[in-house]
Amino acid sequence: MERVETKEKKAAARYAASVELLNDAIGKEIATSLQYMYFHTHFEDSRYLYLSRIMRETSIAEMRHIEELADRILYLEGDVDMNPSFRTRRVTDPREMLSMAAELEASTIESYNKASRLATEYGDAVTHKMFQDLIAEEEQHLDTFRTELKNLEDYGADYLAMQSVAGSRQAARELHRIHEQHEKEGE
């Protein structure tokens, strides 16, 4: 029995550095997910439905990353630290929100590249590959935010106005559908 415990302790010690990298990533993913959900609610409130949907879907993608990272930590017999690495910042200007989102993604990509290299140095090929896969997704997010920032530069307030009108039309259709449903139920 003592020999098994020693073997488990050695395995846990071997992967302690990987667990630390993974927990650092979880903190970033949690904080980023919350920030994007905050942006989502403000975009939705302004009826910028396309930007709102982008932020919501990206926030959910970050939540999936949290789950994947946590699963790896538990496999390595570590403990998951589910605390955000920063507090949600109150930014409500669309251009500033998209700029911040792009900065967060760029920072995450840089951090994950470093973590990937370190995981390789630690002899943890699976964690290395996990970070490489996450980098690919984060690059897609960054590309989306850069595109939206470019749209704002190119079209300015007109870009947001078009989204708001589309959002208002969709809201009107939804209200009409609900009204018709209530009328049918009242018959």
Side-chain angles (χ1 to χ4, degrees):
M1 183 73 170
E2 189 175 313
R3 185 172 184 199
V4 172
E5 284 182 29
T6 304
K7 189 175 183 180
E8 286 176 0
K9 284 182 184 179
K10 283 182 182 179
R14 175 177 178 222
Y15 291 114
S18 289
V19 169
E20 189 175 321
L21 292 172
L22 293 161
N23 267 321
D24 181 61
I26 282 179
K28 286 178 175 77
E29 295 286 346
I30 291 170
T32 302
S33 178
L34 292 171
Q35 188 69 58
Y36 293 166
M37 193 54 66
Y38 175 85
F39 291 162
H40 156 70
T41 61
H42 282 278
F43 281 139
E44 186 176 62
D45 186 58
S46 297
R47 292 210 170 117
Y48 302 149
L49 295 186
Y50 180 68
L51 292 173
S52 172
R53 189 175 313 124
I54 288 171
M55 287 299 173
R56 182 178 183 279
E57 289 173 4
T58 307
S59 178
I60 291 168
E62 305 297 5
M63 288 181 218
R64 277 194 330 274
H65 297 169
I66 295 164
E67 184 177 28
E68 292 168 17
L69 293 161
D71 287 347
R72 180 69 181 152
I73 290 170
L74 294 175
Y75 174 79
L76 297 176
E77 298 180 346
D79 193 18
V80 180
D81 182 0
M82 288 283 187
N83 291 296
S85 61
F86 63 87
R87 290 180 52 85
T88 301
R89 296 180 189 113
R90 294 179 180 202
V91 177
T92 57
D93 175 74
R95 182 170 277 117
E96 288 178 44
M97 292 193 291
L98 290 168
S99 290
M100 183 179 178
E103 289 169 17
L104 286 170
E105 293 300 324
S107 173
T108 299
I109 291 164
E110 181 180 329
S111 174
Y112 288 2
N113 270 306
K114 181 179 178 182
S116 176
R117 285 190 303 275
L118 290 171
T120 298
E121 288 176 22
Y122 303 149
D124 186 353
V126 174
T127 298
H128 162 79
K129 183 179 180 332
M130 176 178 275
F131 278 115
Q132 291 295 302
D133 293 344
L134 290 172
I135 290 165
E137 275 195 64
E138 301 298 353
E139 286 180 347
Q140 290 172 354
H141 300 165
L142 176 58
D143 185 56
T144 298
F145 296 140
R146 284 178 177 166
T147 299
E148 292 310 311
L149 276 168
K150 181 75 171 128
N151 287 340
L152 272 176
E153 283 177 26
D154 291 348
Y155 307 111
D158 291 342
Y159 182 66
L160 296 174
M162 288 185 293
Q163 287 194 39
S164 184
V165 167
S168 293
R169 285 183 182 155
Q170 184 172 334
R173 282 191 295 269
E174 182 64 19
L175 285 173
H176 181 73
R177 186 190 63 75
I178 291 170
H179 179 73
E180 285 181 338
Q181 183 179 353
H182 285 286
E183 284 182 351
K184 286 181 183 177
E185 291 172 357
E187 291 178 359

